[in-house]
Amino acid sequence: MTYDFMFSRALELHQDGRFAEAEQLYRQILETAPKNPDILNLLGLVAQARGVHNEAVTLFYKAIKISPDHAPYRFNLALSLAELGKPHEAIEAYQKMLALTPDVKEAWYNLGQLHKTLGNFQTAASCFHKAAALDKTYAEPLVGLALLSDAPEKDLNALLFLFPDCAEAHYQLSVICLEQNRYKEALAHARSALELAPESTDACLAAAFSCLKLKDDASARDYFAKTYAINPKSVPALAGLAAIASREREFDKAEALFVKALELAPNNTEALINYADMLYQTGRLLEAVETSRKAVLLAPDNPAVSNNLGIICKDLKDFDEALGLFFNAYKKSPQTEEFSVNIYETLLLLHREKPQEAEQIAANWLKDSPENIFAQHLSAAFNGQSDNNGDSLFSQKLFDNFASSYEQTLKKLNYRLPEIIKECIGTPRGLVWDLGCGTGLIAEQLKSEEISFIGVDISAAMLDIARSKNLYKELINSNIFDFLNNPPAPPPALIIAADIFCYMGSLEGVISRCAPCPLCFSVEKSEKDGFSITTDGRYKHNKDYVNNLLTKSGYAEITIKEAVIRLEDGKPVAGFVFMAR
């Protein structure tokens, strides 16, 4: 096979994307011409296309050493240096290349992007202007200038008016919309970018992340898969596919994808976080701790990373370390309610073992954060005080954060209240008001063609889950008292309040508002008179106290069933289910 034929065939294979075969021929040629800079450069381009940029850089440097005045070698070198995260070296390569051929618009644009990443905005703008001056139809540097302006979204939209086929402008608008939580607009711009540039992995990923935020995992999976098909070394695509597989409980598939992503990028924090979560879900807590610790070391200022490790430590009953991690997350982002919920729950657990320590930490938390509803409620509970003024707000925030894991948690607690209530009421007919309906467990238990349900709950997140079950005629996001003060017509055949009164102190107001409708509800058993708040922030009620309130409100037929409502720390929680007519 002649040199010219081998070279021609290698180029053909290279252009067809058959990189392994092209590389083999290039290396055969190199054996006979070891100092051929063009072959070294082409081998570098093959390595670059395969994402092996370290190898590409070595080959480009060899080509440059042989032919230092050939600008394309330096351009290719700069591209791979930038991919390796070496912006200063990449800038130097572009500068030397532009000294040889100053009229390459792409080089000026790429140089501007590098200066932008380093915060050299004035220099970046100058580079973008030079790129645009070389070609008035070249829109990308104008996108770069728009992103440096005080009103990037406005300038990008204006640019699209002049260059409607600019995929980069659509992609950057997608990024801006994602950052501003405008997910539908983000998806629309990402799709427009993909119509113009179908092979754009950036646009594919923007579409995927938009779909994730819109809770459309199926579409997100498709976009991640498309990204992976274009670039099998895309860590975000692998990690995204793994996270979706984990949510769908395809754990073997998820783990294989996570491992592959982390082989490519061992320090990818997002992949480590999601992999740790998968390990946690599968009960591999020690492995989850190890993986989470790696993420914490890489991103010590990321509050979500500390929070995730805290959750695992809490499950391992290392409450002191869990609290340290939760407070670390809370101090960095006090407005994130999940962190407050985790502090609250961990202090409740610590209180069972070390009550004085837990009470002191709770007191300090309240002192530092007097407006925090969880700190208020916890301190009141630890001091045996009712918090009637804040109970509704506390319940709303607690269950908004608890919604996604609510049913899974109840299964662990052997929660049987829906079944017990069904035993007490038999087979109801007509309209049922399900007060504090949560995720719809009562409707699931009682559903029949002869019943229609109106669900009421203070937590919008819980109602979203209930809505997905298609069991309710209507779902209302409301405080129970507000609902009962202005109830819809007609009156119900039955009102149910399952596991709700444990979040209220006095029951007089709610029972009187339910009368005279038939009423079935549960309370946790108290040996004390009236009602009392426990150290876990819930209320218990005396059987006679509740019975007297029902009688006072006009209920004449009252049946009481004593039952174990659930387990708490492995111990039965005693309660009563009342049926009043």
Side-chain angles (χ1 to χ4, degrees), residues 88-116:
H88 295 287
E89 291 92 329
I91 286 171
E92 183 182 359
Y94 277 126
Q95 287 172 336
K96 288 182 177 180
M97 176 257 171
L98 287 165
L100 295 167
T101 52
D103 58 348
V104 180
K105 62 186 181 182
E106 293 86 359
W108 284 112
Y109 171 67
N110 293 347
L111 188 57
Q113 291 285 50
L114 287 165
H115 278 294
K116 180 185 167 188

Side-chain angles (χ1 to χ4, degrees), residues 36-46 59-60 63 70 72-73 76:
N36 185 319
D38 287 333
I39 300 300
L40 289 166
N41 177 63
L42 288 166
L43 276 169
L45 289 173
V46 168
L59 290 160
F60 294 137
H70 194 64
Y73 302 163
N76 296 336

Side-chain angles (χ1 to χ4, degrees), residues 187 190-191 194 203-227 237 240-241 244 247-248:
L187 180 57
R191 284 174 170 166
L194 284 169
C204 270
L205 290 173
F209 291 128
S210 300
C211 290
L212 284 181
K213 293 295 186 180
L214 292 167
K215 302 187 185 306
D216 183 359
D217 277 7
S219 296
R221 186 195 299 105
D222 290 343
Y223 284 117
F224 282 132
K226 181 176 180 180
T227 306
L241 289 168
I244 292 171
R247 278 199 292 278
E248 293 176 347

Side-chain angles (χ1 to χ4, degrees), residues 150-171:
D150 293 332
E153 185 172 5
K154 178 182 176 183
D155 288 354
L156 286 170
N157 279 310
L159 181 63
L160 278 173
F161 183 77
L162 297 173
F163 297 95
D165 294 338
C166 180
E168 181 66 14
H170 278 295
Y171 164 68

Side-chain angles (χ1 to χ4, degrees), residues 407-445:
E407 293 187 14
Q408 186 178 357
T409 301
L410 290 184
K411 285 180 182 176
K412 293 179 183 177
L413 300 178
N414 196 28
Y415 181 74
R416 291 193 58 252
L417 196 52
E419 295 97 315
I420 297 168
I421 284 178
K422 184 174 183 178
E423 292 170 8
C424 291
I425 63 177
T427 307
R429 293 179 175 82
L431 179 63
V432 173
W433 287 354
D434 186 0
L435 304 184
C437 64
T439 60
L441 296 178
I442 288 293
E444 280 186 296
Q445 188 67 39

Side-chain angles (χ1 to χ4, degrees), residues 124-183:
S126 175
C127 293
F128 291 144
H129 279 297
K130 288 177 181 176
L134 288 166
D135 184 351
K136 303 297 183 185
T137 66
Y138 188 30
E140 277 72 8
L142 300 178
V143 172
L145 288 167
L147 293 172
L148 290 171
S149 76
D150 293 332
E153 185 172 5
K154 178 182 176 183
D155 288 354
L156 286 170
N157 279 310
L159 181 63
L160 278 173
F161 183 77
L162 297 173
F163 297 95
D165 294 338
C166 180
E168 181 66 14
H170 278 295
Y171 164 68
Q172 295 295 347
L173 282 167
S174 177
V175 172
I176 289 170
C177 292
L178 266 171
E179 290 172 348
Q180 297 177 357
N181 302 331
R182 293 154 52 196
Y183 304 126

Side-chain angles (χ1 to χ4, degrees), residues 239-255 257-258 274-279 281-282:
L241 289 168
I244 292 171
S246 180
R247 278 199 292 278
E248 293 176 347
R249 306 191 72 76
E250 296 180 6
F251 295 123
D252 289 342
K253 179 181 178 182
E255 181 158 23
L257 290 163
F258 278 130
N274 289 327
Y275 185 36
D277 181 65
M278 190 220 80
L279 293 167
Q281 288 186 61
T282 53

